[in-house]
Amino acid sequence: MEKKIYQKIAEYDIITIFGHVMPDGDCYGSQLGLKEAIKETFPNKKVYVLGSGLPFLFERLSPMDKVDDETIKLSLAIVLDVGNVERVEDQRFLTAKDIIKIDHHIFVHKYGSLELVDESAIACAQIITRIVMENNMKINKLGAEALMLGITTDSGRFLYGQTGENTFKAASFLMSKGVDLRSLYDTLYSTSLKEIKFKGFVLNNFITKENLCFVKMTLDDVRKLNVDSDYAASQVNLLSGIEGFPIWATFVEKDNGLIRCELRSKNTNYNVQLVAKKYGGGGHIQAAGCRVLSFEEVDKVIDDLLLLIKGEFKDVE
């Protein structure tokens, strides 16, 4: 499939690269990394990355592109790090001449004429790196750093369970292209005073229930701490590694009234993706998420997580 994807890319003069809503390091890094690899390999092609990206990294790496509707209609759309159509941030990808899907999440449904889904990969950026390597594509330092961003963030700096031999092969290849990992980490993990205060709030207000550890944050809490709701929810791993608590979660209210739920687990014995799926979400076995309508529904999610810990949760097809 890696060869077929390369051949399809070679056929088109215009390539548009899409990601998911609320982009993370893997989504943004995969988009930018693939763009740079295509541009280096095919200098005459027009290649664009669409979506929100990660604005705090724009100065360090690169901003996103703004593309008109007509350009997208003439393009090959490549959708990265998204299991289902509804979660693609810019839905204009559906108007493209052709669509390729590249993803590492648990399979939801097929879309596009070519599809490469590898659930064993720790990050979509690992798959993109493999495509680059197997097709002898060129890649510059910027592209390599973007892909390294994706791999390091989705692997928790090589700590998570799916990190394996192929992860390090990809990382080694990228490092050979001049990646300044220390500089990248300095940007990625720099901490502001308000972030320190936020972390203090979480560590002083988390709740334990049986073997589950979680924090609930209302919109008032978020506003008082002067942070974004999505940022607050994404900091779920502040609660990781507490002895005796194999699952941890954040439940954060957003401006639109929905509650963003981020669910994490210690190992593959606790498949939090099953619970997320019940509430219309998805993700990985150890890292998944969903959105619910109220904190009353959050309590139902909590009850299901407790059942999952006990081995009593029943999967919903």
Side-chain angles (χ1 to χ4, degrees):
M1 185 58 69
E2 288 82 356
K3 298 291 184 185
K4 289 182 179 179
I5 289 172
Y6 177 81
Q7 290 164 3
K8 182 70 72 173
I9 290 170
E11 292 173 12
Y12 279 80
D13 294 326
I14 304 173
I15 314 290
T16 50
I17 306 174
F18 297 80
H20 57 69
V21 295
M22 295 184 292
D24 55 11
D26 187 28
C27 178
Y28 169 63
S30 295
Q31 287 181 270
L32 183 56
L34 180 58
K35 173 185 175 179
E36 293 301 314
I38 295 173
K39 284 174 57 183
E40 287 291 303
T41 308
F42 302 101
N44 294 324
K45 292 187 185 297
K46 296 178 180 179
V47 190
Y48 306 100
V49 286
L50 291 90
S52 303
L54 290 179
F56 79 97
L57 284 169
F58 286 173
E59 185 175 346
R60 174 64 179 77
L61 294 174
S62 176
M64 306 299 281
D65 299 310
K66 295 192 181 300
V67 181
D68 60 63
D69 295 348
E70 203 57 38
T71 298
I72 295 172
K73 289 177 183 178
L74 296 172
S75 75
L76 167 67
I78 305 177
V79 183
L80 305 180
D81 203 35
V82 194
N84 54 315
V85 168
E86 296 78 12
R87 278 184 53 80
V88 181
E89 185 176 19
D90 188 336
Q91 288 287 307
R92 292 182 297 167
F93 84 97
L94 291 168
T95 67
K97 279 189 172 182
D98 203 352
I99 300 169
I100 294 174
K101 170 188 175 183
I102 303 173
D103 188 31
H104 71 124
H105 293 91
I106 294 171
F107 180 82
V108 179
H109 60 245
K110 179 178 174 59
Y111 60 88
S113 65
L114 289 179
E115 180 180 76
L116 173 54
V117 178
D118 182 0
E119 295 176 17
S120 70
I122 194 70
C124 186
Q126 179 178 319
I127 303 173
I128 300 302
T129 305
R130 188 171 76 222
I131 292 171
V132 171
M133 294 169 67
E134 293 191 6
N135 289 289
N136 294 315
M137 296 178 71
K138 298 177 182 178
I139 190 165
N140 55 21
K141 179 181 177 181
L142 171 58
E145 289 193 329
L147 292 172
M148 183 62 86
L149 166 72
I151 290 174
T152 54
T153 53
D154 250 29
S155 69
R157 283 187 283 185
F158 307 104
L159 288 175
Y160 298 158
Q162 283 179 284
T163 302
E165 179 184 357
N166 290 328
T167 310
F168 288 106
K169 283 181 179 178
S172 176
F173 170 80
L174 297 173
M175 291 298 293
S176 74
K177 303 302 177 181
V179 170
D180 186 344
L181 195 58
R182 176 58 186 270
S183 171
L184 189 61
Y185 277 178
D186 284 346
T187 305
L188 189 58
Y189 297 107
S190 63
T191 304
S192 67
L193 182 59
K194 72 176 181 180
E195 289 170 336
I196 291 292
K197 290 179 177 179
F198 167 78
K199 291 175 183 179
F201 175 90
V202 172
L203 296 176
N204 279 287
N205 290 277
F206 71 85
I207 301 165
T208 60
K209 188 172 183 181
E210 298 178 34
N211 296 105
L212 176 66
C213 179
F214 60 91
V215 64
K216 296 180 179 179
M217 296 187 69
T218 66
L219 193 55
D220 283 343
D221 291 328
V222 172
R223 287 173 175 168
K224 285 176 184 177
L225 290 162
N226 193 30
V227 296
D228 178 81
S229 294
D230 289 326
Y231 167 81
S234 72
Q235 299 303 297
V236 59
N237 281 328
L238 289 173
L239 300 175
S240 66
I242 302 175
E243 186 176 354
F245 296 91
I247 294 180
W248 55 97
T250 52
F251 304 101
V252 182
E253 187 176 11
K254 294 172 62 69
D255 290 333
N256 59 9
L258 294 177
I259 316 297
R260 179 176 168 182
C261 313
E262 288 295 330
L263 319 177
R264 301 292 186 269
S265 70
K266 182 179 179 180
N267 57 49
T268 55
N269 294 327
Y270 305 99
N271 185 353
V272 292
Q273 189 267 350
L274 298 177
V275 175
K277 184 175 71 171
K278 178 178 177 179
Y279 295 90
H284 306 288
I285 292 174
Q286 293 177 250
C290 59
R291 300 178 196 179
V292 297
L293 298 174
S294 66
F295 279 105
E296 287 75 18
E297 198 168 2
V298 164
D299 291 336
K300 295 178 182 178
V301 177
I302 289 170
D303 289 340
D304 283 330
L305 291 172
L306 291 171
L307 290 174
L308 185 66
I309 292 171
K310 296 172 185 175
E312 299 173 3
F313 178 77
K314 289 182 170 52
D315 187 14
V316 178
E317 293 296 334

